[in-house]
Amino acid sequence: MPTPAYNAFSAACPTREVLNLISGKWVGLTLTALAQGTQRYGELAGRIGGISHKMLTQTLRMLEQNGLVERKVTPTIPVTVDYSLTPLGSTLVPVVAAVKAWAEANVEQVRAAAASYEMPLGGGAETAALVAERASV
Amino acid sequence: MPTPAYNAFSAACPTREVLNLISGKWVGLTLTALAQGTQRYGELAGRIGGISHKMLTQTLRMLEQNGLVERKVTPTIPVTVDYSLTPLGSTLVPVVAAVKAWAEANVEQVRAAAASYEMPLGGGAETAALVAERASV
DNA sequence: CTGGATCCGAAACGATACTG
DNA sequence: CAGTATCGTTTCGGATCCAG
C-alpha cells in the first residue's frame, strides 16, 4: 500500500501516540539541544535550563525507545554516556526547532494579547495567564 | 532594542510559557482544524475525534486568551458561536501542521523502533510502548 | 558520572450531569 | 447549540536518596 492515509483527526489513529510523544514538555528542547551534535548527559543537563534529573533521563529514554535518539555507553570509570540523534530523529529536528523559533519570535505578541484580554465579568486585576484553569481553587 | 534575544534554553525565559501553551495535547489539532476556515463549536468537536467537551472548550479559551483564536458570539436562539484564527494564530498553523504531518508520515518508523527496542534485562514479552512509565505499578 | 527508585504535590485529562 | 460544574483518574514533574 503506497499511501497509508493516516489521519491524526481520528481518535483511534496511532498518529495520536506519536503526537503525544513529541508534545512532551521537554522533548522539543532536548531534540533541539541534540541538534548541536553528540553530547554527554551532563552537557544536556546544563544546556537545558531548569530540567530536572528525572525528566531528562525519562525524556531521553523515551526518545531512545522510539528511535529518535541513540544512546552509547562507554565502560570507562566512571561510565561515559553519549547521546546523539538517529537519522529519524534528525528529520524531526527542523520541525521542533520551528516551534521553538516561533515561540521565541512571538512571545511578546502572545503576552500582549493575554494582558489585554477582556475579562468576562468582574475586575481586571488578574492577568489572563492565570485565568486558564484556576477554577479548582 | 531590535533583537530581544529570547532563548528558550533559559529556564526563566518567558518563551517557556509559550512553549508549554502550544504543546498542549489538543492545541495542534485544534489549530490545524481551524486552518480550514471559520467553524462552529460543534463542527470542531466533530472534526477532532476523541476530544472531550471540556478539553475543547478549555483549549479554545486558552487560545483565545493568548491571541491565537477569535471567538464570535451571535445571539440567535440557540446561540451561535464561530471560531476563527487570528493573524497571529495563522502564523502558527504551518508550524503545528508540520508537526502533525511529521507524525503521520513517521508513525510506522516510530512504532517499528519501539517494537524492536531491546529490553535492558529480563524477557522481551512486553512491548516497549508500555515500558516508559510502568514503574509506579 | 550517570541514572534508577521512591515519594508526593500539582497539573492535565476525561466522563458525566446540568444549564441558558 | 454551546457551554459550565464537578468529580475521579492519570500523568507530569521535582526533590531526595541510593547505586554501579
Side-chain angles (χ1 to χ4, degrees):
Chain A
M1 69 229 68
T3 6
Y6 283 125
N7 177 18
F9 285 125
S10 270
C13 184
T15 307
R16 288 290 177 87
E17 294 172 25
V18 179
L19 230 34
N20 292 337
L21 194 160
I22 62 186
S23 53
K25 183 174 181 179
W26 300 106
V27 174
L29 289 174
T30 302
L31 288 176
T32 308
L34 279 172
Q36 317 279 4
T38 300
Q39 280 164 87
R40 305 263 301 274
Y41 181 89
E43 295 180 271
L44 288 169
R47 194 182 302 269
I48 307 172
I51 193 171
S52 72
H53 207 156
K54 172 185 170 180
M55 291 318 294
L56 180 55
T57 299
Q58 193 171 303
T59 302
L60 287 169
R61 282 274 184 276
M62 196 244 291
L63 293 174
E64 185 198 3
Q65 287 178 8
N66 292 281
L68 301 176
V69 160
E70 188 187 5
R71 178 169 175 268
K72 185 164 294 182
V73 181
T74 309
T76 51
I77 299 179
V79 69
T80 304
V81 184
D82 289 286
Y83 291 94
S84 58
L85 292 172
T86 64
L88 180 60
S90 298
T91 67
L92 181 53
V93 165
V95 179
V96 295
V99 175
K100 176 172 171 292
W102 188 95
E104 289 173 347
N106 296 278
V107 181
E108 296 179 355
Q109 290 199 59
V110 170
R111 285 165 73 88
S116 69
Y117 182 76
E118 260 185 51
M119 300 300 161
L121 283 170
E126 306 174 80
T127 64
L130 297 174
V131 181
E133 257 294 72
R134 65 184 298 281
S136 55
V137 185
Chain B
M1 71 228 60
T3 6
Y6 284 125
N7 177 19
F9 284 126
S10 269
C13 184
T15 307
R16 287 289 177 88
E17 295 171 25
V18 179
L19 231 34
N20 292 337
L21 194 160
I22 61 185
S23 53
K25 182 173 182 178
W26 300 106
V27 174
L29 289 175
T30 302
L31 289 175
T32 307
L34 279 171
Q36 317 278 2
T38 299
Q39 280 164 88
R40 307 263 297 273
Y41 182 89
E43 295 180 271
L44 288 169
R47 194 182 302 270
I48 307 171
I51 193 170
S52 72
H53 215 155
K54 173 186 169 183
M55 291 317 295
L56 179 55
T57 299
Q58 192 172 301
T59 302
L60 287 168
R61 284 273 188 279
M62 195 243 291
L63 294 174
E64 185 198 3
Q65 288 177 8
N66 291 280
L68 301 175
V69 160
E70 188 187 5
R71 177 170 176 268
K72 184 165 292 182
V73 181
T74 309
T76 52
I77 297 180
V79 70
T80 304
V81 183
D82 289 286
Y83 289 94
S84 58
L85 291 172
T86 63
L88 180 60
S90 298
T91 67
L92 181 53
V93 165
V95 178
V96 294
V99 175
K100 176 172 171 291
W102 188 94
E104 290 174 344
N106 295 278
V107 181
E108 296 180 354
Q109 291 199 57
V110 170
R111 285 165 72 88
S116 69
Y117 181 76
E118 260 185 53
M119 302 299 160
L121 282 172
E126 306 175 79
T127 64
L130 297 174
V131 181
E133 259 294 70
R134 66 182 299 279
S136 54
V137 185

